[in-house]
Amino acid sequence: MHVKNRAFAALLLGMLMAQLDGTALSAGLRSLDAELAAGPAIAGVNAAYALTVTVSTPVHGRLGDLVGRRRMVLCSLLLFALASAACAAAPGIGWLIAARAVQGVGGSGLIVGAISGLGELFTKTELVRRAGWQTAVFSIAALGGPPVGGALAAGPGWRWIFLLNLPICLLAVVLGAGSLPGRRVTGERPGFDVLGAALVAVAGSAAVALGTVGALARSPLWTPVLVAAGVAAGAGFAVRQRRAASPLIPPRVFANRAVSRSVLVTAMAGSALFPMITFGGLAAGEGGPAAAGALLLAMTVGQLAVSLSFAVLARRWPAMAAWGRLGCATGVVGMAALAVAPQAGGTGRTVLLAAGLALAGAAFGLTASAYTLLVQSSAPRDRVGTALGALTFARQGGGALGIAVFGWLALVVTGSLDDAGLTVVFAAGALVMAVAWWRAPTRAQEAAGETLVTPVTSAGAASSSS
């Protein structure tokens, strides 16, 4: 196998595991709860993973730029494997939650390492050509995770959800050890912004806590505390990045308008579209669990359909800025349909919900694919990990914060999350997507931002160390 193909396979395997563990375990939570007598603490199993995946993404992006993609990905694989083994051996719920938090740190490194490594290895044309493989990874995680997790939980037991990670990690290490690119020689002194990492961890933790723990998001005590902590940490982080000798996210990364606008629009799209899993489920739940599940499937189908189409059509029309704007416009229409749906009755409600969820899923898939590819091809080669870490953090952190903010908005305006409250949520989402369309990168900015740097052509090219 060609060295680039080995690296490509290693990166996709790592990304697959990190995404699969979030969906597969959901199907095994009931049996896990029965065995460990978890009680209310069961919510922490997935929340711990989501928290550490989100807050560590900028750190992994920067470290990958400093020490090389090979070291970062291999260390993340080792950490993910060790944490998976610890999860499988967990004697109690506290142990499992702690191990899941560590696993999230490794999973974040695998996600950021994959999209950064691909941007370092391949040109834009090649990235577009291989986009279908990345779509396949998401499809397997989204559609295959729950049934696989359910089958394992019902058969050999939920612990096998984690044990299966070990041979996959080993295969990824074998493929990546001699093929992933090492550190680029830039003449930069490899420093690391510890204070900046701590500040972004506080800001990200506040956003994720508000977005994933309903009691915190609605608490008269903890809500203002978390909001204040998040805002203060975010402001402190912005000041720190301008003053630090080796900032976690160097401001010059955002001097490129294509990159800075991609990160901004991704944050807005994440805040508007991520919450649809939660609020879309509430809107669809009127017909019972089975009907809600069928309607929510429309969102997944919409995302997969547009992602697969994008992987084919983008080869002929490779302007990512145009694709991103189309995704934002699709999101506006989808959210508008969802806003109207709760006020409709009977068949009209069902049709509007299905169409709105499908379009919202399509918008998420299109914006995520287009802006990832745009940043991969536009970021400075020695900062590609930093830029993509910021992009991933913006998407995940924006999504977590959007759940809390939209839920709070509905409660303030209508006092509940009934049909009137959901209309407020979806209308606000449509407005956010309209602003995202307005601020989206233009084709001229994309053309100005694209680099002419030749990607790594072998395992040792542009590398000073492994």
Side-chain angles (χ1 to χ4, degrees):
M1 186 186 293
H2 189 275
V3 62
K4 278 192 176 184
N5 289 333
R6 292 204 306 272
F8 184 63
L11 293 173
L12 289 188
L13 282 173
M15 193 190 317
L16 173 63
M17 283 189 299
Q19 294 179 339
L20 197 59
D21 258 44
T23 58
L25 187 61
S26 297
L29 286 179
R30 189 176 298 275
S31 60
L32 185 157
D33 185 21
E35 181 177 334
L36 300 182
I42 192 69
V45 175
N46 281 336
Y49 186 81
L51 175 64
T52 53
V53 163
T54 299
V55 301
S56 59
T57 49
V59 175
H60 284 298
R62 180 61 175 152
L63 285 177
D65 289 339
L66 290 175
V67 305
R69 221 61 59 196
R70 187 186 312 162
R71 285 181 179 174
M72 199 67 252
V73 171
L74 293 180
C75 287
S76 296
L77 283 167
L78 176 61
L79 185 62
F80 193 85
L82 291 174
S84 295
C87 288
I93 189 63
W95 176 302
L96 180 60
I97 290 174
R100 280 286 278 174
V102 177
Q103 191 189 36
V105 176
S108 173
L110 295 178
I111 294 171
V112 176
I115 60 176
S116 303
L118 294 175
E120 193 170 334
L121 283 166
F122 302 113
T123 63
K124 178 183 177 180
T125 301
E126 186 67 11
L127 285 170
V128 171
R129 191 177 72 82
R130 293 174 182 254
W133 288 96
Q134 297 178 62
T135 300
V137 166
F138 168 78
S139 303
I140 293 171
L143 298 181
V148 168
L152 290 172
W158 61 267
R159 297 178 190 272
W160 279 91
I161 297 173
F162 299 109
L163 289 174
L164 282 182
N165 290 330
L166 303 183
I168 300 176
C169 281
L170 178 60
L171 177 59
V173 168
V174 171
L175 290 170
S179 61
L180 293 171
R183 184 172 68 88
R184 287 175 172 267
V185 181
T186 62
E188 176 187 17
R189 187 178 69 178
F192 185 75
D193 183 12
V194 176
L195 177 57
L199 288 171
V200 80
V202 172
S205 297
V208 175
L210 288 169
T212 57
V213 183
L216 292 177
R218 294 186 294 272
S219 168
L221 172 63
W222 287 109
T223 298
V225 169
L226 288 171
V227 169
V231 170
F237 178 75
V239 172
R240 172 68 180 175
Q241 298 315 285
R242 291 196 296 268
R243 298 179 178 177
S246 181
L248 185 68
I249 303 179
R252 81 175 184 89
V253 169
F254 299 110
N256 184 321
R257 298 290 294 278
V259 172
S260 61
R261 288 203 175 193
S262 292
V263 172
L264 174 63
V265 171
T266 292
M268 288 191 285
S271 69
L273 300 174
F274 254 107
M276 291 315 100
I277 299 174
T278 299
F279 297 115
L282 292 175
E286 188 180 73
L295 281 171
L296 287 174
L297 181 61
M299 183 165 55
T300 302
V301 170
Q303 183 173 351
L304 292 179
V306 78
S307 296
L308 290 170
S309 301
F310 169 81
V312 175
L313 296 176
R315 299 182 189 182
R316 184 171 181 180
W317 295 287
M320 293 300 111
W323 285 108
R325 282 179 172 267
L326 177 61
C328 292
T330 302
V332 173
V333 177
M335 301 302 288
L338 289 172
V340 174
Q343 307 308 317
T347 304
R349 178 188 178 105
T350 302
V351 170
L352 285 170
L353 282 175
L357 288 169
L359 289 171
F364 182 81
L366 201 49
T367 54
S369 298
Y371 291 124
T372 297
L373 281 166
L374 198 156
V375 174
Q376 283 174 327
S377 60
S378 299
R381 294 300 87 187
D382 61 334
R383 293 288 191 277
V384 65
T386 300
L388 286 163
L391 185 82
T392 306
F393 178 77
R395 181 182 300 120
Q396 295 172 337
L401 189 60
I403 295 173
V405 171
F406 285 174
W408 171 82
L409 182 64
L411 293 175
V412 167
V413 175
T414 69
S416 69
L417 285 173
D418 57 10
D419 285 351
L422 291 172
T423 293
V424 170
V425 167
F426 298 137
L431 178 61
V432 170
M433 291 306 299
V435 175
W437 177 88
W438 173 52
R439 301 302 297 168
T442 64
R443 180 67 188 95
Q445 289 167 344
E446 177 182 5
E450 288 178 357
T451 66
L452 299 178
V453 178
T454 303
V456 178
T457 56
S458 66
S463 170
S464 64
S465 66
S466 62

